[in-house]
Structures are given as structure tokens and as C-alpha cells.
Amino acid sequence: MKYSALALLKGALGANRNWPRQWRAAVPKPAYDAIIVGGGGHGLATAYYLAREHGLTNVAVVEKGWIGGGNVGRNTTIVRSNYLLPENSRFYELGMKLWEGLSKDLNYNVMFSQRGVLNLAHTPSQLDGFARRGNAMRLEGIDAELLDRDAVGDFVPHLDMSPAARFPIVGGLLQPRGGTARHDAVAWGYARAADALGVDIIENAPVTGFLREGERIVGVVTPRGEIRAAKVGLAVAGSTSEVMRLAGVEDLPIESHVLQAFVSEPLKPIIHTVVTFGAGHLYISQSDKGGLVFGGDIDGYNSYAQRGGLAVVRDVASLAVTMFPNLKRVRVLRNWGGIMDMSMDGSPIITKGPLPGLYLNAGWCYGGFKATPASGFCFAHTIARDEPHPENAAFTLDRFERGLVLDERGAGPVPQHH
Amino acid sequence: MLIPCPHCGPRESDEFTYIGDAERTPPALDAPEAVWTRYVFARRNPMGRHREYWQHTGCRAVLAVTRNTLTHEVEGCEIVGPHAATAAGAGE
Ligand SMILES: Cc1cc2nc3c(=O)[nH]c(=O)nc-3n(C[C@H](O)[C@H](O)[C@H](O)COP(=O)(O)OP(=O)(O)OC[C@H]3O[C@@H](n4cnc5c(N)ncnc54)[C@H](O)[C@@H]3O)c2cc1C
Ligand SMILES: [Zn+2]
């Protein structure tokens, strides 16, 4: 069924009782041309682009739990392409362009809102760094505006702009085309669109092992049976190390860490853009329902628990109030955590291998939601053509041993980059 | 999450700084490049029991903590480094 204004009207007249399922509850077939393990944003987008761009429709997405239960439904929904290194800029800008047409492509309102992403600078040297990054972006044809102190104050009225602030604001870097999207809608939209093209979405089917012929991976083992495929792509985010272990691959350049997110009680419109604090780590925006959506750093120690500690809650709350003193009495409605696949240089891996028949998509750190369309697009290309798309050619697994790491911050091999 | 510092007793984890994975040992300086690459970049990253270094901000001791990364249960905590030997009786 095609969604349209007319369909909405009909739905409303039927008291919204007659909407069809958005995707079939598929029963696994014995074999497919390709299997994608992990029904998060990246896995679903990959399946969609395999079908749409490469005509590969005999594809299954095999998901441990339910669609939207992983990080794709847990993130703070920020979308941007404000990177310094050309490899990252180009990849995330490909993503930005896909975001701009996504609701139409999927016939699903993903509520992509280009409300701007503003990074605050608190020292002149930080602002110089932002000027450099902004210039690098503009050289790649990406929008970037350097704002001085007054322009920041005009753009975000409730910020504490006083020169006596503990970390006075001296300016900022704005990407006007950045913004937010409704994360659940992205998962559901890709699932529905992939299903419509013939992809089987198989939920409640954790992969517990791999089928092998010698070195080659030829399928997966699940409680719902063995499923064979010539190509198996992995997009399991925080579970990457554990699932790869099942294939006998140990010691990836990845650690799993918990990142928390917070939502406040609903408020009247107060923050119309996305703002990030530059003298600590906090990012905040307001959802269309009025809740402030915000988050900060990972808790900082290896974790597979989808919940975090109070230290970060305290840290994030104090930073929010430092930026916006008028939020002092706002109550937090909910908070939760998701398990991040933190790569050792802060950049992702989208590659063929490391075993024949296997393809790997991982290492998204804090920032994989914005990558969803580009990640799916490039991973599908890599799987279908057995070679990378130009925009993911640098995201190899062997870049670490070849000295070709993509370390945006120049901060060395630590699993804490964002 | 409480970490039982041998000097100070059980303390809230945010009194400690996480240093990282303690399951790796630095290779010899002249070890092959592939061995060094593995040491610098590769992690076992297990779901479950993990040995890791933490430093207690209170007493400055560097500790090797054995912790479950899924349940956050701490199984063991010992002082490492040059003070390990003399610290054996520190808790008494
Ligand atoms: C709190 C938080 C805030 C974030 N904020 C942002 C942000 O503002 N902007 C941004 O760009 N990014 C953000 N991110 C990061 C982003 O959400 C992730 O990088 C991205 O969603 C990861 O890709 P995914 O959607 O495919 O992951 P997931 O949705 O986690 O998908 C992986 C799937 O694999 C499944 N799986 C695991 N093991 C198996 C198995 N054995 N068999 C089958 N399936 C399995 C899981 O159940 C899961 O559904 C945030 C993340 C968190 C947790
Ligand atoms: Zn101590």
C-alpha cells in the first residue's frame, strides 16, 4: 500500500483500524542469495539498497530481537556531515544527500528536519579549529558557517552568553543542513520498503553460529533453523566482536561501550536547532513532541549492559544547565543506554571479508545513525559487486596495520572517539 | 558499580579512572610489526569476564579488576605495578 494524504484520510475514516502490516512476518527459506545479520538501521538499509540498486531481492535480514530494538531506536537522532577528513566528509555527505530524499524514496515520513547543527566554541583556539574544519567542509562542497559570539546568541536565544560564564561562548560552527530525524521511522521505513521489494525480514532469530565450507562462510545458524547464502553481511553494531567470534574471528579493533540518552518532560518550543557544548560533551535538541533529547559521553568502561551509571547522568545534567540555565527545574522523563561499537580510530569499517563469503559493517562509535543511508548504500554495493563503493574504499579493516587510520581528532588508538 | 580497592575498601566506580583492557601484554620492542599492530589496535572485547586496569583517584593505586561486562559484577581486584609486592599486606 502506498502512503499518501488520501490513505491517511481513509485510515482516519476507518478509525485507523484497517492499516495493513508494514512488513510480513517472514518464515526463513532454506537459502538466499544474501543474508544480512542484524536488523538495525544499517542492516535494513543494506537490504533495501541491495534490492533497489542491485536487483538482489532474494535477501533475508536476520534479527536477534525486534526491528528497532537496537541502537537505531536508542539514539539521539542527530544527522550531520561536518567532518574534517575528506574520506569521512564525502561518505557522510553522500549520507546527507540520501537523507534529503529519504522520505520520498521510502514513501515513509522519517521526519528529517534540517534544523541545523551548531558546535559551540569556548576558546579562540577552538574557534580557529572550527574555522579549519568549516573550510575543509566547504572545499568538499558541504555547507558550513562560522558564527561569531553575537551570531550564536541571536541564533540560540536561551544560551548562557554571559562573558562571566565558566566556559564563555566565543563562537560556533553551524551546519545549516544538519538536523534530526525520527529514528524509529527510519528503521520501520527501511523495513517496509525492503519488504515491499521482496526482502524477508526475520525477527526473533539470533545468529548463534555460521555454516562453513572450509574457510568460506556459507550461511548462518539460528534457533529458527539453518539458512544458507552465498554472501553473509554483518551489521550488528555493539555485538560485532561477539558475533565475529562465532565465525572464528578474534581481536577486532573494536570495544563495546555503553552510551546513554535522556529525554525530558515535554516543553513548549525552546530549542529549535541542535546545539553541542564544546568544553565538555553534550548535545541537545528538542523533539516535535516537546521533549528535550540529549546525551553526552560514553560511560567509559567496556560494557554490554544496555544501561549506564549515575556519573554520566550527573555530568550531562550539569552541562545542560551550564548551557541553558533556564533548564534547571526541567525533569528528566526517561533515560536508557545502547551498546556502541567503538573503533580504535573513531571511523567505521565497511568491507568485504575478513573471511570469504563474509562482509563486515561495524565501528560506528556514537555516530552511526546519521550514517544509516550511506552505510546501507555502500555496504550493499560492496556485497553485490565484491568491491567497495568509492565512498567506503577507505573504511577497510586492514587500515590499522597499513598505517592508514582515519583519526579525525588525531588522538591516537583509543576506543573513545566520537 | 562498586570496586573493592585493596587500600580503601569498596568505593563507587566514578572514584576510579578506567585505563582499559589488561589482557594484553606489550610485545618485545623488536617484535614484528604485525604483533605490535595487534597489541595497539586489537581487543578481545568479551561479553562476560574481562580483566582491566582502573586507577583509584583516592589512593592513586593502579588496580587490575576482573569484572563481568554484562552484569558489572566485580570478581577480583588487585594492586599491580611496582607496589604490588609490598601491597600484599596493605589491607590488614
Ligand atoms: C544513546 C545513543 C545515542 C546516539 N546518538 C546518535 C546521534 O545522535 N547521531 C548518530 O548519528 N548516531 C547516534 N548513535 C549511534 C547510532 O545509533 C548507531 O551507530 C547505529 O544505530 C548503529 O547501527 P544500527 O542501527 O544498524 O545498530 P542497531 O540498531 O544496534 O542494529 C544492530 C542489530 O543487530 C542485532 N544483533 C546483535 N547480535 C545479533 C545476532 N547474534 N544475530 C542477529 N542479530 C543480532 C541487534 O539486535 C540489533 O538490532 C547513538 C547511539 C546511542 C546508543
Ligand atoms: Zn584506593
Side-chain angles (χ1 to χ4, degrees), chain B residues 5-9 11 16 56-61 63:
Chain B
C5 174
H7 287 312
C8 314
R11 314 290 295 199
F16 299 75
H56 191 201
T57 317
C59 67
R60 301 273 156 184
L63 309 167

Side-chain angles (χ1 to χ4, degrees), chain A residues 297-380:
Chain A
D297 272 321
I298 50 175
D299 276 34
Y301 44 86
N302 294 48
S303 177
Y304 281 90
Q306 289 186 110
R307 57 187 153 72
L310 279 173
V312 167
V313 178
R314 200 165 47 213
D315 193 42
V316 158
S318 63
L319 287 179
V321 172
T322 303
M323 283 167 79
F324 296 98
N326 61 351
L327 300 186
K328 214 167 235 162
R329 291 191 299 143
V330 169
R331 283 162 296 191
V332 169
L333 201 62
R334 295 187 291 135
N335 79 309
W336 62 89
I339 302 306
M340 324 299 313
D341 35 340
M342 303 298 296
S343 71
M344 294 298 287
D345 63 356
S347 297
I349 296 157
I350 305 179
T351 188
K352 187 181 163 184
L355 296 174
L358 191 66
Y359 301 78
L360 179 64
N361 174 314
W364 292 101
C365 302
Y366 298 25
F369 176 67
K370 64 174 158 334
T372 305
S375 167
F377 193 88
C378 290
F379 198 34

Side-chain angles (χ1 to χ4, degrees), chain A residues 40-42 63-64 71-72 75-76 78 207 366-370:
Chain A
H42 293 212
E63 163 57 40
K64 176 172 79 177
N71 291 344
V72 69
N75 61 73
T76 45
I78 300 168
V207 166
Y366 298 25
F369 176 67
K370 64 174 158 334

Side-chain angles (χ1 to χ4, degrees), chain A residues 114-198:
Chain A
Q114 293 181 294
R115 57 184 66 186
V117 172
L118 174 66
N119 300 145
L120 297 178
H122 306 267
T123 63
S125 70
Q126 194 173 20
L127 195 59
D128 285 349
F130 283 3
R132 175 175 176 232
R133 179 153 55 89
N135 285 334
M137 289 165 65
R138 293 176 86 130
L139 284 172
E140 292 293 342
I142 302 169
D143 60 320
E145 284 174 32
L146 197 66
L147 304 189
D148 63 16
R149 193 178 165 281
D150 292 342
V152 168
D154 287 346
F155 187 53
V156 191
H158 298 287
L159 274 174
D160 180 2
M161 295 302 298
S162 78
R166 173 68 184 83
F167 300 104
I169 293 165
V170 302
L173 184 66
L174 174 67
Q175 183 181 21
R177 283 159 68 243
T180 58
R182 166 116 197 259
H183 50 11
D184 299 316
V186 173
W188 300 334
Y190 271 118
R192 171 172 167 274
D195 172 272
L197 293 173

Side-chain angles (χ1 to χ4, degrees), chain A residues 53-394:
Chain A
E53 298 292 313
H54 306 281
L56 221 63
T57 54
N58 186 23
V59 171
V61 175
V62 179
E63 163 57 40
K64 176 172 79 177
W66 66 95
I67 295 304
N71 291 344
V72 69
R74 292 169 183 266
N75 61 73
T76 45
T77 79
I78 300 168
V79 175
R80 57 188 175 87
S81 58
N82 56 359
Y83 283 75
L84 174 70
L85 301 178
E87 293 84 351
N88 282 330
S89 300
R90 288 172 200 162
F91 173 78
Y92 286 106
E93 180 58 16
L94 166 69
M96 185 63 84
K97 297 215 168 86
L98 289 169
W99 277 110
E100 286 171 335
L102 195 60
S103 290
K104 247 199 175 120
D105 280 353
L106 299 180
N107 178 229
Y108 207 102
N109 185 4
V110 299
M111 297 168 73
F112 181 47
S113 158
Q114 293 181 294
R115 57 184 66 186
V117 172
L118 174 66
N119 300 145
L120 297 178
H122 306 267
T123 63
S125 70
Q126 194 173 20
L127 195 59
D128 285 349
F130 283 3
R132 175 175 176 232
R133 179 153 55 89
N135 285 334
M137 289 165 65
R138 293 176 86 130
L139 284 172
E140 292 293 342
I142 302 169
D143 60 320
E145 284 174 32
L146 197 66
L147 304 189
D148 63 16
R149 193 178 165 281
D150 292 342
V152 168
D154 287 346
F155 187 53
V156 191
H158 298 287
L159 274 174
D160 180 2
M161 295 302 298
S162 78
R166 173 68 184 83
F167 300 104
I169 293 165
V170 302
L173 184 66
L174 174 67
Q175 183 181 21
R177 283 159 68 243
T180 58
R182 166 116 197 259
H183 50 11
D184 299 316
V186 173
W188 300 334
Y190 271 118
R192 171 172 167 274
D195 172 272
L197 293 173
V199 171
D200 279 358
I201 294 169
I202 301 161
E203 294 172 84
N204 302 311
V207 166
T208 55
F210 288 89
L211 301 175
R212 310 186 65 141
E213 276 168 14
E215 272 280 276
R216 178 168 286 277
I217 299 290
V218 295
V220 298
V221 182
T222 80
R224 302 185 62 180
E226 294 183 356
I227 316 174
R228 300 182 79 84
K231 300 182 173 190
V232 177
L234 234 72
V236 294
S239 304
T240 301
S241 297
E242 285 295 326
V243 179
M244 287 295 280
R245 218 184 311 281
L246 298 174
V249 179
E250 286 277 354
D251 292 349
L252 292 169
I254 289 175
E255 278 188 9
S256 297
H257 285 256
V258 64
L259 179 66
Q260 303 189 55
F262 305 83
V263 170
S264 77
E265 59 189 327
L267 304 170
K268 290 266 169 64
I270 170 171
I271 299 174
H272 73 291
T273 184
V274 181
V275 200
T276 74
F277 191 60
H281 198 205
L282 186 99
Y283 32 92
I284 186 164
S285 65
Q286 188 168 20
S287 81
D288 292 353
K289 283 192 291 189
L292 297 170
V293 181
F294 53 103
D297 272 321
I298 50 175
D299 276 34
Y301 44 86
N302 294 48
S303 177
Y304 281 90
Q306 289 186 110
R307 57 187 153 72
L310 279 173
V312 167
V313 178
R314 200 165 47 213
D315 193 42
V316 158
S318 63
L319 287 179
V321 172
T322 303
M323 283 167 79
F324 296 98
N326 61 351
L327 300 186
K328 214 167 235 162
R329 291 191 299 143
V330 169
R331 283 162 296 191
V332 169
L333 201 62
R334 295 187 291 135
N335 79 309
W336 62 89
I339 302 306
M340 324 299 313
D341 35 340
M342 303 298 296
S343 71
M344 294 298 287
D345 63 356
S347 297
I349 296 157
I350 305 179
T351 188
K352 187 181 163 184
L355 296 174
L358 191 66
Y359 301 78
L360 179 64
N361 174 314
W364 292 101
C365 302
Y366 298 25
F369 176 67
K370 64 174 158 334
T372 305
S375 167
F377 193 88
C378 290
F379 198 34
H381 184 106
T382 308
I383 293 171
R385 309 261 180 108
D386 273 316
E387 63 181 22
H389 186 275
E391 306 311 4
N392 70 304

Side-chain angles (χ1 to χ4, degrees), chain A residues 37-49:
Chain A
V37 182
H42 293 212
L44 294 165
T46 305
Y48 169 72
Y49 292 113

